[in-house]
Amino acid sequence: MKTMIIYMSTHGCTKGVAHELANELSGQVSLVNLKEDKNPDFQNHDRVIIGGSIHAGQIQRKLKEFCEYNLEELGKKEIGLFICCMHEGEEAFQQLNNAFPEKLHQYAKSEAILGGEFNFEKMRFFEKIIVKKVAKVEETVNKVDHEAIHKFARRMEKTFSPFLLLI
């Protein structure tokens, strides 16, 4: 199986998660950062996994636009969706739901919230001020959920066979 992981990463957390996820998947896996390749050709891939990070409650605009523009073609692939965010529980699920078009959620084989990171070394001055004020965080915090990455990869690896329903 050929898989393409398409992601956007602002400060590097989602990039690290995408690479870790790629190492968990079998078959040929390609990684594409939408910042570098704005129109990746995923046509010859069986599976497409899309992920991005949440900032101020929203996923990157370019990632969302990519999904909307390619919605019909993405619907012909096995789809996985993930976000990296610092929230947990209901707020994180709401951010996941808002991150991608509703139709893409319907196509998705699996969806996941894979944790996140506040990396003060990579933030601009005003980003640091906002994070300190809103999140009440004073230093770099990494909450990447490696177990969730592993579980997401395993769900994406499972195959569905309608013949199993006949047994």
Side-chain angles (χ1 to χ4, degrees), residues 47-64:
R47 176 169 52 197
V48 178
I49 298 174
I50 304 169
S53 52
I54 302 295
H55 298 274
Q58 298 294 317
I59 201 156
Q60 293 95 337
R61 180 180 45 83
K62 289 180 182 177
L63 184 68
K64 197 167 199 169

Side-chain angles (χ1 to χ4, degrees), residues 28-72:
Q28 181 183 344
V29 181
S30 305
L31 287 155
V32 176
N33 184 344
L34 277 180
K35 279 186 175 181
E36 298 164 7
D37 184 352
K38 295 177 184 2
N39 192 22
D41 182 9
F42 57 87
Q43 297 305 319
N44 63 346
H45 290 76
D46 308 296
R47 176 169 52 197
V48 178
I49 298 174
I50 304 169
S53 52
I54 302 295
H55 298 274
Q58 298 294 317
I59 201 156
Q60 293 95 337
R61 180 180 45 83
K62 289 180 182 177
L63 184 68
K64 197 167 199 169
E65 289 171 355
F66 169 83
C67 292
E68 290 167 353
Y69 182 77
N70 292 288
L71 190 58
E72 187 175 320

Side-chain angles (χ1 to χ4, degrees), residues 22-157:
N23 290 330
E24 295 268 348
L25 297 169
S26 62
Q28 181 183 344
V29 181
S30 305
L31 287 155
V32 176
N33 184 344
L34 277 180
K35 279 186 175 181
E36 298 164 7
D37 184 352
K38 295 177 184 2
N39 192 22
D41 182 9
F42 57 87
Q43 297 305 319
N44 63 346
H45 290 76
D46 308 296
R47 176 169 52 197
V48 178
I49 298 174
I50 304 169
S53 52
I54 302 295
H55 298 274
Q58 298 294 317
I59 201 156
Q60 293 95 337
R61 180 180 45 83
K62 289 180 182 177
L63 184 68
K64 197 167 199 169
E65 289 171 355
F66 169 83
C67 292
E68 290 167 353
Y69 182 77
N70 292 288
L71 190 58
E72 187 175 320
E73 289 303 310
L74 288 168
K76 299 174 185 174
K77 305 294 179 182
E78 185 175 281
I79 297 293
L81 304 172
F82 74 89
I83 62 168
C84 292
C85 72
M86 292 298 284
H87 291 287
E88 297 174 350
E90 187 59 37
E91 193 164 354
F93 284 110
Q94 189 65 38
Q95 289 178 336
L96 176 62
N97 286 334
N98 292 337
F100 303 100
E102 177 58 36
K103 197 72 166 169
L104 202 55
H105 287 289
Q106 293 171 12
Y107 295 147
K109 177 178 183 176
S110 186
E111 300 182 59
I113 300 159
L114 303 178
E117 176 181 56
F118 289 131
N119 188 334
F120 276 73
E121 290 77 38
K122 294 184 179 179
M123 287 182 192
R124 294 183 299 242
F125 177 74
F126 287 112
E127 289 174 315
K128 290 178 189 178
I129 291 173
I130 292 168
V131 168
K132 286 179 181 181
K133 190 170 191 119
V134 175
K136 310 234 185 301
V137 175
E138 297 289 327
E139 60 189 23
T140 295
V141 176
N142 185 318
K143 291 175 131 184
V144 172
D145 190 340
H146 302 284
E147 183 60 28
I149 295 169
H150 178 74
K151 287 179 181 177
F152 178 64
R154 295 292 64 85
R155 287 192 308 266
M156 291 304 299
E157 292 283 292

